[in-house]
Amino acid sequence: MNAKVRVIISEVIFCVLLVAGCQNTSTPRVDQNVRAAADIHKAELLKELDKKWENPPVHFELGQLYHAAGDYSKAEYYYNIALGFNPAYREVQAAMVKLQLDKGDKTRADWVANGYMTQVASMPEQLLSLGVAFEKQGLDDYALKCYQEALKTAPDSSAVNRQLGYYYLNKNKKDLAKEYFIRSFQLNPDQPDVSGELGRLGVAVRIPEAPVSPQDMKQTTKPASQPK
């Protein structure tokens, strides 16, 4: 699939999700024009699968289109295929949890989410990745749980503290965001984005100078002149 087609597909998925989100029924009535465009791109995606069935991103995109249109059985079908080819596909895992919620099954959604979290319980980087995927699906409670579990596993991780800082900043909880950004910066001062956020939050930061090695000292120090 060329880049232009993929961009168009992404735009159509966004439009379908937007229209579906405005509906109150369990099977959204998507505008006919949007639905027609989505059908065209479903056909494009299916052509891609004809060329290469083992293509998790395309299965995921198809699942997203069916999910947005309220066809939950087909959405789950394609999500499962994507996970079959890539069991660690965090975006699909998050979408699968959202699917259970959209079907009205909060108990199963919790069970599925906890299962994914348990798989990566000892890997803070993967917990962060799953949390970010949950945030993209608008599942903030699950995202926060991932970040908190990652913090328990790696309290001295600048990346985990940084992610929590951004999470709370997005929620406009600036005091909490500041707390985690400060901690992240203390653990790793070489984070221009974090220092920038701290500056915008009114915290003055000072980037420590890199230590000079003895070899550098020899190279930069001029020898004393000899007396005549």
Side-chain angles (χ1 to χ4, degrees):
M1 183 183 299
N2 61 40
K4 184 177 180 181
V5 171
R6 189 168 293 279
V7 168
I8 294 172
I9 290 170
S10 298
E11 291 175 350
V12 170
I13 291 173
F14 173 77
C15 291
V16 174
L17 288 169
L18 182 63
V19 174
C22 296
Q23 301 292 332
N24 295 322
T25 60
S26 59
T27 54
R29 293 188 297 274
V30 184
D31 176 82
Q32 273 193 330
N33 291 332
V34 175
R35 181 180 296 174
D39 287 342
I40 291 171
H41 290 296
K42 283 176 192 173
E44 292 287 342
L45 291 169
L46 289 169
K47 285 181 182 178
E48 287 296 312
L49 293 180
D50 284 339
K51 298 174 187 175
K52 183 182 178 182
W53 182 251
E54 301 85 359
N55 195 331
V58 174
H59 285 290
F60 174 49
E61 287 185 46
L62 270 169
Q64 288 277 269
L65 284 171
Y66 283 115
H67 189 163
D71 193 337
Y72 298 149
S73 61
K74 284 188 179 178
E76 190 159 8
Y77 170 76
Y78 283 107
Y79 288 161
N80 277 322
I81 294 176
L83 288 173
F85 289 125
N86 182 3
Y89 202 150
R90 305 303 173 207
E91 288 82 1
V92 183
Q93 291 177 341
M96 186 69 87
V97 173
K98 187 175 188 303
L99 182 66
Q100 308 312 315
L101 289 173
D102 290 343
K103 289 164 66 176
D105 196 341
K106 176 69 163 56
T107 300
R108 180 163 179 78
D110 289 344
W111 182 82
V112 172
N114 289 333
Y116 293 144
M117 291 182 212
T118 300
Q119 291 172 9
V120 294
S122 61
M123 296 178 280
E125 297 87 357
Q126 295 302 318
L127 280 167
L128 286 187
S129 179
L130 181 58
V132 170
F134 280 137
E135 275 200 82
K136 287 179 180 177
Q137 291 289 335
L139 306 178
D140 291 346
D141 289 344
Y142 295 111
L144 181 58
K145 187 173 180 180
C146 284
Y147 301 151
Q148 290 172 336
E149 289 300 316
L151 190 65
K152 289 178 186 177
T153 304
D156 293 331
S157 166
S158 61
V160 173
N161 282 277
R162 173 184 177 277
Q163 190 62 46
L164 275 161
Y166 276 110
Y167 175 85
Y168 285 116
L169 185 64
N170 291 335
K171 301 293 175 229
N172 203 34
K173 296 183 178 181
K174 294 183 179 179
D175 288 339
L176 280 171
K178 187 189 302 184
E179 177 184 332
Y180 285 106
F181 281 140
I182 289 173
R183 178 60 176 156
S184 180
F185 186 79
Q186 289 172 337
L187 291 164
N188 177 15
D190 187 19
Q191 298 184 88
D193 58 334
V194 173
S195 60
E197 296 298 349
L198 284 171
R200 284 184 281 275
L201 289 168
V203 179
V205 296
R206 178 178 177 274
I207 310 257
E209 295 180 2
V212 180
S213 68
Q215 184 64 30
D216 291 336
M217 289 288 288
K218 290 178 182 178
Q219 292 175 354
T220 58
T221 303
K222 295 182 179 180
S225 60
Q226 296 295 323
K228 294 181 179 180

